[in-house]
Amino acid sequence: MTPPNSPIISSSLTTITLTNSLPISKILNKIPTAHSTLSSTHDAWLTTARAICTTDTFPKLLSQTFTLPSSPDRTYRLAGMTKGAGMIHPNMATLLGVLCTDAPIAPSALQPLLKHAVSRSFNSISVDGDTSTNDTIAILANGAAGGAPITSTSSADYTAMQNVLTSFAQSLSQLVVRDGEGATKFVTVRVQNSPDYESARLIASTIARSPLVKTALYGKDANWGRILCAIGYTQGVAEGTVVPERTSVSFKPVDGSAELKLLVNGEPEQVDEDRASVILQEEDLEIVVDLGGGEKGEKGLGGEEAVYWFCDFSHEYVTINGDYRT
């Protein structure tokens, strides 16, 4: 702090000249070419999705049709593309995404629709727990399909659109996780029976970015202790959310068979190691964390649920990023 009545100390700024700036003339000269090739075909979307890939191993794009309550006989369309494979963890990390629909949605309704969808999709994924300096998820709605515009956030059309958009964004964002650098597993972590949604989301996020959890899954180890540890050190959860005597952890197989219970009401289960090994051989896995106490505890303590999607840490991830040079 400068003492009272003391002279102001001035300093000079150093000007830095960038010698490797973008070749702007090449970019400007190609804008007419890009405009002349505009198209709504699948091939055009695919070309664009490939163009934005970096360490991605495949282009990521989806499309679907849907209807709205006010126009049950009218077909609307939703299409989207994204990119990303590393430095992925909200908010939002090194990824790009563009969603387009021909449904008529007013700007005042479009923003909350996108915010809700992104919070439960692109902001609920993690590859390596690292973020970056740039990210964009944009949505465009041109209303070309006609019908009554969605203007109110309390309308039936808004609720239907919210469900469609959120589900679509989840499917699109999950492609980023499946293409995670060096990933061998696609993992869903579902935190149930939380007093509030935000606490459940914080716990799911902490588990998703835990290196010890991620390496255990890569090593096919049913290490519930690492999951429980991540739950315990989660910051910012509401008081009373995590009670050891009410906390249960299990693996849910993708084949629809019964969950493999690892921890019930804070007590370790006698784990069938052979079955655990079979479950962990699969590419897809779901971890279920029940904060309400599992089968023996009280249900209905909160009922809020949050879901995160993440991948494991492998030797290949270290190789990819160890070999990377700026």
Side-chain angles (χ1 to χ4, degrees), residues 30-49:
K30 281 297 181 180
I31 290 177
T33 302
H35 182 268
S36 67
T37 58
L38 286 175
S39 172
S40 60
T41 65
H42 173 76
D43 286 344
W45 277 84
L46 182 58
T47 298
T48 306

Side-chain angles (χ1 to χ4, degrees), residues 41-254:
T41 65
H42 173 76
D43 286 344
W45 277 84
L46 182 58
T47 298
T48 306
R50 284 174 173 159
I52 61 175
C53 288
T54 49
T55 57
D56 303 55
T57 63
F58 62 87
K60 303 169 178 65
L61 65 163
L62 294 173
S63 64
Q64 74 170 72
T65 59
F66 62 96
T67 60
L68 294 173
S70 66
S71 306
D73 298 326
R74 193 184 302 269
T75 299
Y76 294 104
R77 296 168 180 81
L78 176 62
M81 69 180 77
T82 188
K83 60 80 61 182
M87 296 185 77
I88 301 296
H89 188 77
N91 295 309
M92 270 181 300
T94 313
L95 62 83
L96 300 174
V98 178
L99 311 175
C100 298
T101 182
D102 57 7
I105 309 172
S108 59
L110 194 58
Q111 179 61 34
L113 281 170
L114 181 63
K115 183 177 180 179
H116 182 276
V118 168
S119 71
R120 289 158 176 79
S121 58
F122 288 97
N123 275 343
S124 291
I125 61 174
S126 184
V127 168
D128 46 20
D130 221 335
T131 59
S132 186
T133 57
N134 44 35
D135 55 73
T136 297
I137 298 294
I139 185 169
L140 307 172
N142 61 15
I150 300 175
T151 58
S152 171
T153 58
S154 60
S155 67
D157 278 359
Y158 181 91
T159 300
M161 189 69 220
Q162 184 181 77
N163 292 335
V164 168
L165 184 61
T166 300
S167 177
F168 183 84
Q170 287 174 344
S171 297
L172 191 59
S173 66
Q174 288 169 23
L175 295 178
V176 175
V177 179
R178 289 193 180 278
D179 197 27
E181 292 176 345
T184 69
K185 282 187 170 35
F186 174 85
V187 188
T188 301
V189 57
R190 188 179 305 275
V191 179
Q192 302 174 332
N193 285 316
S194 171
D196 63 275
Y197 171 76
E198 188 56 34
S199 292
R201 189 172 183 275
L202 288 170
I203 291 170
S205 173
T206 303
I207 294 171
R209 68 174 184 267
S210 166
L212 290 179
V213 171
K214 293 158 78 72
T215 50
L217 294 175
Y218 174 66
K220 302 177 179 61
D221 178 17
N223 194 323
W224 56 264
R226 294 185 179 183
I227 298 171
L228 196 63
C229 178
I231 296 171
Y233 66 65
T234 301
Q235 299 293 311
V237 299
E239 186 176 354
T241 297
V242 179
V243 178
E245 294 78 12
R246 292 204 307 254
T247 302
S248 300
V249 178
S250 61
F251 285 166
K252 187 175 181 179
V254 294

